[in-house]
mmCIF file with all atom_site columns, all heavy atoms in Angstrom:
data_model
loop_
_atom_site.group_PDB
_atom_site.id
_atom_site.type_symbol
_atom_site.label_atom_id
_atom_site.label_alt_id
_atom_site.label_comp_id
_atom_site.label_asym_id
_atom_site.label_entity_id
_atom_site.label_seq_id
_atom_site.pdbx_PDB_ins_code
_atom_site.Cartn_x
_atom_site.Cartn_y
_atom_site.Cartn_z
_atom_site.occupancy
_atom_site.B_iso_or_equiv
_atom_site.pdbx_formal_charge
_atom_site.auth_seq_id
_atom_site.auth_comp_id
_atom_site.auth_asym_id
_atom_site.auth_atom_id
_atom_site.pdbx_PDB_model_num
ATOM 1   N N   . MET A 1 61 ? 59.509 171.399 120.163 1.00 87.00 ? 299 MET A N   1
ATOM 2   C CA  . MET A 1 61 ? 58.669 172.583 120.197 1.00 87.00 ? 299 MET A CA  1
ATOM 3   C C   . MET A 1 61 ? 57.630 172.364 121.272 1.00 87.00 ? 299 MET A C   1
ATOM 4   O O   . MET A 1 61 ? 57.165 171.319 121.464 1.00 87.00 ? 299 MET A O   1
ATOM 5   C CB  . MET A 1 61 ? 57.970 173.013 118.909 1.00 87.00 ? 299 MET A CB  1
ATOM 6   C CG  . MET A 1 61 ? 59.069 173.569 117.845 1.00 87.00 ? 299 MET A CG  1
ATOM 7   S SD  . MET A 1 61 ? 58.233 173.925 116.287 1.00 87.00 ? 299 MET A SD  1
ATOM 8   C CE  . MET A 1 61 ? 57.035 175.168 116.817 1.00 87.00 ? 299 MET A CE  1
ATOM 9   N N   . VAL A 1 62 ? 57.132 173.482 121.931 1.00 79.00 ? 300 VAL A N   1
ATOM 10  C CA  . VAL A 1 62 ? 56.028 173.432 122.769 1.00 79.00 ? 300 VAL A CA  1
ATOM 11  C C   . VAL A 1 62 ? 54.742 173.626 121.936 1.00 79.00 ? 300 VAL A C   1
ATOM 12  O O   . VAL A 1 62 ? 54.607 174.658 121.220 1.00 79.00 ? 300 VAL A O   1
ATOM 13  C CB  . VAL A 1 62 ? 56.106 174.560 123.846 1.00 79.00 ? 300 VAL A CB  1
ATOM 14  C CG1 . VAL A 1 62 ? 54.824 174.543 124.654 1.00 79.00 ? 300 VAL A CG1 1
ATOM 15  C CG2 . VAL A 1 62 ? 57.350 174.459 124.672 1.00 79.00 ? 300 VAL A CG2 1
ATOM 16  N N   . PRO A 1 63 ? 53.877 172.701 121.889 1.00 76.00 ? 301 PRO A N   1
ATOM 17  C CA  . PRO A 1 63 ? 52.659 172.728 121.081 1.00 76.00 ? 301 PRO A CA  1
ATOM 18  C C   . PRO A 1 63 ? 51.727 173.915 121.454 1.00 76.00 ? 301 PRO A C   1
ATOM 19  O O   . PRO A 1 63 ? 51.542 174.041 122.690 1.00 76.00 ? 301 PRO A O   1
ATOM 20  C CB  . PRO A 1 63 ? 52.026 171.283 121.188 1.00 76.00 ? 301 PRO A CB  1
ATOM 21  C CG  . PRO A 1 63 ? 52.482 170.829 122.523 1.00 76.00 ? 301 PRO A CG  1
ATOM 22  C CD  . PRO A 1 63 ? 53.840 171.442 122.682 1.00 76.00 ? 301 PRO A CD  1
ATOM 23  N N   . ARG A 1 64 ? 51.249 174.528 120.568 1.00 76.00 ? 302 ARG A N   1
ATOM 24  C CA  . ARG A 1 64 ? 50.297 175.717 120.838 1.00 76.00 ? 302 ARG A CA  1
ATOM 25  C C   . ARG A 1 64 ? 48.910 175.362 120.623 1.00 76.00 ? 302 ARG A C   1
ATOM 26  O O   . ARG A 1 64 ? 47.974 176.054 121.087 1.00 76.00 ? 302 ARG A O   1
ATOM 27  C CB  . ARG A 1 64 ? 50.706 176.935 119.963 1.00 76.00 ? 302 ARG A CB  1
ATOM 28  C CG  . ARG A 1 64 ? 50.541 176.781 118.419 1.00 76.00 ? 302 ARG A CG  1
ATOM 29  C CD  . ARG A 1 64 ? 51.035 178.008 117.742 1.00 76.00 ? 302 ARG A CD  1
ATOM 30  N NE  . ARG A 1 64 ? 51.100 177.860 116.270 1.00 76.00 ? 302 ARG A NE  1
ATOM 31  C CZ  . ARG A 1 64 ? 50.046 178.063 115.441 1.00 76.00 ? 302 ARG A CZ  1
ATOM 32  N NH1 . ARG A 1 64 ? 48.908 178.405 115.983 1.00 76.00 ? 302 ARG A NH1 1
ATOM 33  N NH2 . ARG A 1 64 ? 50.210 177.957 114.142 1.00 76.00 ? 302 ARG A NH2 1
ATOM 34  N N   . SER A 1 65 ? 48.557 174.363 119.842 1.00 84.00 ? 303 SER A N   1
ATOM 35  C CA  . SER A 1 65 ? 47.152 173.997 119.615 1.00 84.00 ? 303 SER A CA  1
ATOM 36  C C   . SER A 1 65 ? 47.215 172.587 118.903 1.00 84.00 ? 303 SER A C   1
ATOM 37  O O   . SER A 1 65 ? 48.194 172.121 118.514 1.00 84.00 ? 303 SER A O   1
ATOM 38  C CB  . SER A 1 65 ? 46.485 175.057 118.718 1.00 84.00 ? 303 SER A CB  1
ATOM 39  O OG  . SER A 1 65 ? 47.094 175.024 117.380 1.00 84.00 ? 303 SER A OG  1
ATOM 40  N N   . VAL A 1 66 ? 45.969 172.055 118.820 1.00 88.00 ? 304 VAL A N   1
ATOM 41  C CA  . VAL A 1 66 ? 45.726 170.848 117.942 1.00 88.00 ? 304 VAL A CA  1
ATOM 42  C C   . VAL A 1 66 ? 45.451 171.426 116.563 1.00 88.00 ? 304 VAL A C   1
ATOM 43  O O   . VAL A 1 66 ? 44.817 172.466 116.394 1.00 88.00 ? 304 VAL A O   1
ATOM 44  C CB  . VAL A 1 66 ? 44.501 170.081 118.480 1.00 88.00 ? 304 VAL A CB  1
ATOM 45  C CG1 . VAL A 1 66 ? 44.183 168.922 117.543 1.00 88.00 ? 304 VAL A CG1 1
ATOM 46  C CG2 . VAL A 1 66 ? 44.821 169.532 119.883 1.00 88.00 ? 304 VAL A CG2 1
ATOM 47  N N   . PHE A 1 67 ? 45.866 170.737 115.524 1.00 92.00 ? 305 PHE A N   1
ATOM 48  C CA  . PHE A 1 67 ? 45.741 171.072 114.158 1.00 92.00 ? 305 PHE A CA  1
ATOM 49  C C   . PHE A 1 67 ? 44.836 169.946 113.552 1.00 92.00 ? 305 PHE A C   1
ATOM 50  O O   . PHE A 1 67 ? 45.085 168.763 113.566 1.00 92.00 ? 305 PHE A O   1
ATOM 51  C CB  . PHE A 1 67 ? 46.956 171.300 113.365 1.00 92.00 ? 305 PHE A CB  1
ATOM 52  C CG  . PHE A 1 67 ? 47.827 172.414 113.718 1.00 92.00 ? 305 PHE A CG  1
ATOM 53  C CD1 . PHE A 1 67 ? 48.871 172.278 114.689 1.00 92.00 ? 305 PHE A CD1 1
ATOM 54  C CD2 . PHE A 1 67 ? 47.487 173.725 113.281 1.00 92.00 ? 305 PHE A CD2 1
ATOM 55  C CE1 . PHE A 1 67 ? 49.627 173.439 115.009 1.00 92.00 ? 305 PHE A CE1 1
ATOM 56  C CE2 . PHE A 1 67 ? 48.254 174.836 113.727 1.00 92.00 ? 305 PHE A CE2 1
ATOM 57  C CZ  . PHE A 1 67 ? 49.243 174.622 114.562 1.00 92.00 ? 305 PHE A CZ  1
ATOM 58  N N   . LEU A 1 68 ? 43.712 170.476 112.834 1.00 95.00 ? 306 LEU A N   1
ATOM 59  C CA  . LEU A 1 68 ? 42.916 169.626 112.031 1.00 95.00 ? 306 LEU A CA  1
ATOM 60  C C   . LEU A 1 68 ? 43.347 169.779 110.637 1.00 95.00 ? 306 LEU A C   1
ATOM 61  O O   . LEU A 1 68 ? 43.402 170.903 110.079 1.00 95.00 ? 306 LEU A O   1
ATOM 62  C CB  . LEU A 1 68 ? 41.447 170.009 112.142 1.00 95.00 ? 306 LEU A CB  1
ATOM 63  C CG  . LEU A 1 68 ? 40.495 169.495 111.066 1.00 95.00 ? 306 LEU A CG  1
ATOM 64  C CD1 . LEU A 1 68 ? 40.459 168.006 111.107 1.00 95.00 ? 306 LEU A CD1 1
ATOM 65  C CD2 . LEU A 1 68 ? 39.129 170.183 111.146 1.00 95.00 ? 306 LEU A CD2 1
ATOM 66  N N   . LEU A 1 69 ? 43.736 168.638 109.880 1.00 97.00 ? 307 LEU A N   1
ATOM 67  C CA  . LEU A 1 69 ? 44.136 168.792 108.567 1.00 97.00 ? 307 LEU A CA  1
ATOM 68  C C   . LEU A 1 69 ? 42.815 168.756 107.668 1.00 97.00 ? 307 LEU A C   1
ATOM 69  O O   . LEU A 1 69 ? 42.054 167.920 107.783 1.00 97.00 ? 307 LEU A O   1
ATOM 70  C CB  . LEU A 1 69 ? 45.026 167.538 108.182 1.00 97.00 ? 307 LEU A CB  1
ATOM 71  C CG  . LEU A 1 69 ? 45.671 167.660 106.749 1.00 97.00 ? 307 LEU A CG  1
ATOM 72  C CD1 . LEU A 1 69 ? 46.661 168.777 106.726 1.00 97.00 ? 307 LEU A CD1 1
ATOM 73  C CD2 . LEU A 1 69 ? 46.352 166.253 106.458 1.00 97.00 ? 307 LEU A CD2 1
ATOM 74  N N   . LYS A 1 70 ? 42.684 169.907 106.951 1.00 97.00 ? 308 LYS A N   1
ATOM 75  C CA  . LYS A 1 70 ? 41.543 170.060 106.159 1.00 97.00 ? 308 LYS A CA  1
ATOM 76  C C   . LYS A 1 70 ? 41.773 169.781 104.690 1.00 97.00 ? 308 LYS A C   1
ATOM 77  O O   . LYS A 1 70 ? 40.866 169.313 103.885 1.00 97.00 ? 308 LYS A O   1
ATOM 78  C CB  . LYS A 1 70 ? 41.081 171.545 106.208 1.00 97.00 ? 308 LYS A CB  1
ATOM 79  C CG  . LYS A 1 70 ? 40.665 171.956 107.534 1.00 97.00 ? 308 LYS A CG  1
ATOM 80  C CD  . LYS A 1 70 ? 40.413 173.450 107.677 1.00 97.00 ? 308 LYS A CD  1
ATOM 81  C CE  . LYS A 1 70 ? 39.265 173.935 106.834 1.00 97.00 ? 308 LYS A CE  1
ATOM 82  N NZ  . LYS A 1 70 ? 38.987 175.441 107.090 1.00 97.00 ? 308 LYS A NZ  1
ATOM 83  N N   . GLU A 1 71 ? 43.081 169.908 104.240 1.00 97.00 ? 309 GLU A N   1
ATOM 84  C CA  . GLU A 1 71 ? 43.259 169.590 102.827 1.00 97.00 ? 309 GLU A CA  1
ATOM 85  C C   . GLU A 1 71 ? 44.831 169.320 102.612 1.00 97.00 ? 309 GLU A C   1
ATOM 86  O O   . GLU A 1 71 ? 45.606 169.860 103.423 1.00 97.00 ? 309 GLU A O   1
ATOM 87  C CB  . GLU A 1 71 ? 42.977 170.823 101.904 1.00 97.00 ? 309 GLU A CB  1
ATOM 88  C CG  . GLU A 1 71 ? 43.179 170.556 100.485 1.00 97.00 ? 309 GLU A CG  1
ATOM 89  C CD  . GLU A 1 71 ? 42.789 171.771 99.688  1.00 97.00 ? 309 GLU A CD  1
ATOM 90  O OE1 . GLU A 1 71 ? 41.550 171.951 99.384  1.00 97.00 ? 309 GLU A OE1 1
ATOM 91  O OE2 . GLU A 1 71 ? 43.653 172.634 99.277  1.00 97.00 ? 309 GLU A OE2 1
ATOM 92  N N   . GLY A 1 72 ? 45.194 168.392 101.784 1.00 97.00 ? 310 GLY A N   1
ATOM 93  C CA  . GLY A 1 72 ? 46.547 167.997 101.585 1.00 97.00 ? 310 GLY A CA  1
ATOM 94  C C   . GLY A 1 72 ? 46.993 166.777 102.344 1.00 97.00 ? 310 GLY A C   1
ATOM 95  O O   . GLY A 1 72 ? 46.147 166.087 102.925 1.00 97.00 ? 310 GLY A O   1
ATOM 96  N N   . MET A 1 73 ? 48.312 166.562 102.457 1.00 98.00 ? 311 MET A N   1
ATOM 97  C CA  . MET A 1 73 ? 48.843 165.431 103.134 1.00 98.00 ? 311 MET A CA  1
ATOM 98  C C   . MET A 1 73 ? 50.004 165.846 103.977 1.00 98.00 ? 311 MET A C   1
ATOM 99  O O   . MET A 1 73 ? 50.755 166.657 103.577 1.00 98.00 ? 311 MET A O   1
ATOM 100 C CB  . MET A 1 73 ? 49.199 164.280 102.211 1.00 98.00 ? 311 MET A CB  1
ATOM 101 C CG  . MET A 1 73 ? 49.736 162.980 102.919 1.00 98.00 ? 311 MET A CG  1
ATOM 102 S SD  . MET A 1 73 ? 50.025 161.657 101.679 1.00 98.00 ? 311 MET A SD  1
ATOM 103 C CE  . MET A 1 73 ? 48.491 160.840 101.726 1.00 98.00 ? 311 MET A CE  1
ATOM 104 N N   . ALA A 1 74 ? 50.088 165.270 105.172 1.00 98.00 ? 312 ALA A N   1
ATOM 105 C CA  . ALA A 1 74 ? 51.238 165.608 106.052 1.00 98.00 ? 312 ALA A CA  1
ATOM 106 C C   . ALA A 1 74 ? 51.764 164.222 106.647 1.00 98.00 ? 312 ALA A C   1
ATOM 107 O O   . ALA A 1 74 ? 51.247 163.155 106.372 1.00 98.00 ? 312 ALA A O   1
ATOM 108 C CB  . ALA A 1 74 ? 50.839 166.552 107.193 1.00 98.00 ? 312 ALA A CB  1
ATOM 109 N N   . MET A 1 75 ? 52.748 164.327 107.567 1.00 97.00 ? 313 MET A N   1
ATOM 110 C CA  . MET A 1 75 ? 53.332 163.096 108.102 1.00 97.00 ? 313 MET A CA  1
ATOM 111 C C   . MET A 1 75 ? 53.791 163.393 109.543 1.00 97.00 ? 313 MET A C   1
ATOM 112 O O   . MET A 1 75 ? 54.210 164.468 109.878 1.00 97.00 ? 313 MET A O   1
ATOM 113 C CB  . MET A 1 75 ? 54.513 162.551 107.253 1.00 97.00 ? 313 MET A CB  1
ATOM 114 C CG  . MET A 1 75 ? 55.544 163.507 107.178 1.00 97.00 ? 313 MET A CG  1
ATOM 115 S SD  . MET A 1 75 ? 56.919 163.049 105.997 1.00 97.00 ? 313 MET A SD  1
ATOM 116 C CE  . MET A 1 75 ? 57.967 164.471 105.909 1.00 97.00 ? 313 MET A CE  1
ATOM 117 N N   . ARG A 1 76 ? 53.810 162.222 110.344 1.00 95.00 ? 314 ARG A N   1
ATOM 118 C CA  . ARG A 1 76 ? 54.485 162.271 111.615 1.00 95.00 ? 314 ARG A CA  1
ATOM 119 C C   . ARG A 1 76 ? 55.872 161.616 111.338 1.00 95.00 ? 314 ARG A C   1
ATOM 120 O O   . ARG A 1 76 ? 55.908 160.571 110.798 1.00 95.00 ? 314 ARG A O   1
ATOM 121 C CB  . ARG A 1 76 ? 53.774 161.535 112.689 1.00 95.00 ? 314 ARG A CB  1
ATOM 122 C CG  . ARG A 1 76 ? 52.347 161.929 112.956 1.00 95.00 ? 314 ARG A CG  1
ATOM 123 C CD  . ARG A 1 76 ? 51.804 161.095 114.048 1.00 95.00 ? 314 ARG A CD  1
ATOM 124 N NE  . ARG A 1 76 ? 50.332 161.111 114.160 1.00 95.00 ? 314 ARG A NE  1
ATOM 125 C CZ  . ARG A 1 76 ? 49.661 161.981 114.736 1.00 95.00 ? 314 ARG A CZ  1
ATOM 126 N NH1 . ARG A 1 76 ? 50.267 162.966 115.299 1.00 95.00 ? 314 ARG A NH1 1
ATOM 127 N NH2 . ARG A 1 76 ? 48.286 161.999 114.764 1.00 95.00 ? 314 ARG A NH2 1
ATOM 128 N N   . TYR A 1 77 ? 56.961 162.226 111.896 1.00 97.00 ? 315 TYR A N   1
ATOM 129 C CA  . TYR A 1 77 ? 58.218 161.551 111.624 1.00 97.00 ? 315 TYR A CA  1
ATOM 130 C C   . TYR A 1 77 ? 59.266 161.943 112.710 1.00 97.00 ? 315 TYR A C   1
ATOM 131 O O   . TYR A 1 77 ? 59.072 162.879 113.397 1.00 97.00 ? 315 TYR A O   1
ATOM 132 C CB  . TYR A 1 77 ? 58.783 162.051 110.242 1.00 97.00 ? 315 TYR A CB  1
ATOM 133 C CG  . TYR A 1 77 ? 59.256 163.502 110.180 1.00 97.00 ? 315 TYR A CG  1
ATOM 134 C CD1 . TYR A 1 77 ? 60.662 163.751 110.369 1.00 97.00 ? 315 TYR A CD1 1
ATOM 135 C CD2 . TYR A 1 77 ? 58.391 164.518 109.858 1.00 97.00 ? 315 TYR A CD2 1
ATOM 136 C CE1 . TYR A 1 77 ? 61.105 165.011 110.288 1.00 97.00 ? 315 TYR A CE1 1
ATOM 137 C CE2 . TYR A 1 77 ? 58.906 165.788 109.865 1.00 97.00 ? 315 TYR A CE2 1
ATOM 138 C CZ  . TYR A 1 77 ? 60.199 166.080 110.123 1.00 97.00 ? 315 TYR A CZ  1
ATOM 139 O OH  . TYR A 1 77 ? 60.643 167.346 110.017 1.00 97.00 ? 315 TYR A OH  1
ATOM 140 N N   . ARG A 1 78 ? 60.321 161.182 112.689 1.00 96.00 ? 316 ARG A N   1
ATOM 141 C CA  . ARG A 1 78 ? 61.424 161.451 113.611 1.00 96.00 ? 316 ARG A CA  1
ATOM 142 C C   . ARG A 1 78 ? 62.732 161.415 112.675 1.00 96.00 ? 316 ARG A C   1
ATOM 143 O O   . ARG A 1 78 ? 62.920 160.507 111.784 1.00 96.00 ? 316 ARG A O   1
ATOM 144 C CB  . ARG A 1 78 ? 61.673 160.386 114.628 1.00 96.00 ? 316 ARG A CB  1
ATOM 145 C CG  . ARG A 1 78 ? 60.607 160.368 115.762 1.00 96.00 ? 316 ARG A CG  1
ATOM 146 C CD  . ARG A 1 78 ? 60.986 161.401 116.857 1.00 96.00 ? 316 ARG A CD  1
ATOM 147 N NE  . ARG A 1 78 ? 62.340 161.116 117.354 1.00 96.00 ? 316 ARG A NE  1
ATOM 148 C CZ  . ARG A 1 78 ? 62.521 160.303 118.341 1.00 96.00 ? 316 ARG A CZ  1
ATOM 149 N NH1 . ARG A 1 78 ? 61.528 159.585 118.866 1.00 96.00 ? 316 ARG A NH1 1
ATOM 150 N NH2 . ARG A 1 78 ? 63.799 160.127 118.834 1.00 96.00 ? 316 ARG A NH2 1
#
Side-chain angles (χ1 to χ4, degrees):
M299 289 179 59
V300 177
R302 61 183 174 88
S303 64
V304 174
F305 290 99
L306 163 65
L307 190 63
K308 298 170 64 174
E309 183 179 278
M311 182 175 269
M313 61 183 172
R314 303 182 199 276
Y315 74 94
R316 287 277 305 275

